[in-house]
């Protein structure tokens, strides 16, 4: 390390294979980002302002909306800046923060989806005891546990990644600071960080997915025992949005982190889907087929229009 100068900043090289498309990508991603901000802000507004949405299901949905806002905002603003021609340089501390919050919010998403699956399991399999089992204290504990679990997971990954010395190249061949893009720049052996990162991300994803699968297996068995078609349809409709969101969330994790050598361009496309498209779709998934949310939003807008008329 005597012949190296410690890195104080990194240069983000952007999305692989997209040279010359900066203006088109900026317009597209900026539109997606605005939809993420608007959609999730509307969901939060509806949940906070409507007392009949103060239930466990919407409590966890509100947490998910906050996650989506933070998850997209971790990487998208910097990406939009350099797509618009601004400097692609990010400080060392900024790179650490970006990696930390990306994995913190990503891990928390897995835990939240698992908790939401458990909530649906209790609602369908134990409807008479639902309010007793999913009381306010339990909901707060599950939400806090999700955020704390994500924090512990990310501290391990971030510490292993940035306890290494970086003194050679500072060019990150990606559009944000992620572990697979940053580790090759280290001047030390990265095998431990790679193994722990692969195992940690893989175990968290697989355990959460297994628990979700168990919950929905039990739910499917319970729904099959409902005699009326209307009852089965009503029970399934409460779960379909969550199943759709889970499929959108777990696909990118499996492709990016559980493949030995994923294509850089394919990895970037899938992560952009995970960072922007899934958070943009979640408000649509949870609101378009949800009469309670649509009713709450209509009430919010009608009150807002009435107050403007009075002014």
């Amino acid at each position: 390390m005597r012949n190296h100068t410690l890195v104080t900043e990194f240069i983000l090289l952007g999305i692989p294979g997209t040279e010359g498309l900066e203006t088109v990508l900026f317009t597209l991603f900026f539109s997606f980002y605005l939809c993420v901000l608007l959609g999730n802000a509307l969901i939060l507004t509806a949940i906070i302002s409507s007392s009949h949405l103060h239930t466990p299901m919407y409590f966890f949905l509100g947490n998910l909306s906050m996650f989506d806002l933070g998850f997209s905002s971790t990487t998208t603003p910097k990406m939009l800046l350099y797509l618009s021609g601004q400097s692609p340089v990010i400080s060392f501390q900024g790179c650490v923060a970006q990696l930390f919050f990306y994995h913190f919010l990503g891990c928390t998403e897995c835990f939240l989806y698992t908790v939401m699956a458990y909530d649906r399991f209790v609602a369908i399999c134990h409807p008479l005891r639902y309010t007793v089992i999913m009381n306010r204290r339990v909901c707060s504990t599950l939400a806090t546990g999700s955020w704390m679990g994500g924090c512990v997971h990310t501290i391990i990954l971030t510490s292993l990644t940035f306890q290494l010395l970086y003194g050679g190249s500072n060019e990150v061949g990606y559009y944000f600071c992620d572990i697979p893009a940053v580790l090759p720049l280290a001047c030390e052996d990265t095998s431990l960080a790679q193994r722990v990162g692969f195992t940690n991300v893989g175990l968290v994803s697989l355990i959460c997915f297994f628990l979700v699968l168990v919950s929905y297996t039990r739910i499917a068995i319970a729904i099959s025992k409902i005699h009326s078609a209307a009852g089965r349809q009503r029970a399934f409709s409460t779960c379909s949005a969550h199943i759709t969101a889970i499929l959108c969330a777990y696909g990118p994790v499996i492709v990016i982190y559980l493949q030995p050598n994923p294509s850089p361009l394919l990895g970037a496309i899938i992560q952009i889907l995970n960072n922007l498209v899934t958070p943009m779709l979640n408000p649509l998934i949870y609101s378009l087929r949800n009469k309670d949310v649509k009713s709450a939003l209509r009430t919010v807008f009608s009150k807002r229009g009435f107050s403007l008329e009075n002014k």
Side-chain angles (χ1 to χ4, degrees), residues 32-45 69 283 301:
F32 285 171
Y33 188 50
L34 285 181
C35 291
V36 171
L37 297 179
L38 178 61
N40 286 285
L42 286 175
I43 291 289
L44 282 172
T45 302
L69 287 170
F301 285 121

Side-chain angles (χ1 to χ4, degrees), residues 193-215:
Q194 288 175 334
R195 286 196 301 270
V196 173
F198 180 85
T199 304
N200 204 340
V201 173
L203 278 177
V204 168
S205 302
L206 291 175
I207 291 173
C208 289
F209 186 75
F210 174 75
L211 293 175
V212 169
L213 190 62
V214 170
S215 294

Side-chain angles (χ1 to χ4, degrees), residues 112-158:
L112 275 176
Y113 280 130
T114 306
V115 169
M116 292 171 77
Y118 174 71
D119 172 70
R120 293 299 83 207
F121 160 73
V122 176
I124 292 173
C125 297
H126 304 284
L128 299 179
R129 298 169 53 203
Y130 177 68
T131 55
V132 176
I133 296 174
M134 299 300 293
N135 57 61
R136 182 172 297 182
R137 181 178 178 181
V138 170
C139 292
S140 300
T141 301
L142 289 173
T144 303
S146 297
W147 292 96
M148 292 296 293
C151 187
V152 171
H153 162 85
T154 310
I155 288 174
I156 295 171
L157 294 182
T158 308

Side-chain angles (χ1 to χ4, degrees), residues 76-97:
T76 304
K78 184 62 180 178
M79 177 178 66
L80 292 175
L81 281 175
Y82 63 67
L83 284 176
S84 66
Q86 302 297 316
S87 173
V89 173
I90 184 171
S91 67
F92 186 90
Q93 292 79 8
C95 188
V96 174

Side-chain angles (χ1 to χ4, degrees), residues 18 25 40 51 71 75-76 99 108 113 117 120 131 144 197 207 235-236 255 273 283-284 292-293 302:
T18 59
L25 293 178
N40 286 285
S51 58
F71 194 51
T75 59
T76 304
L99 188 147
T108 304
Y113 280 130
R120 293 299 83 207
T131 55
T144 303
I207 291 173
F236 178 76
V255 172
L273 289 175
L284 299 177
D292 293 334
V293 174
S302 63

Side-chain angles (χ1 to χ4, degrees), residues 246-263:
I246 286 173
L247 292 176
C248 293
Y250 277 95
V253 174
I254 293 171
V255 172
I256 294 170
Y257 291 100
L258 302 185
Q259 281 190 12
N261 295 301
S263 164

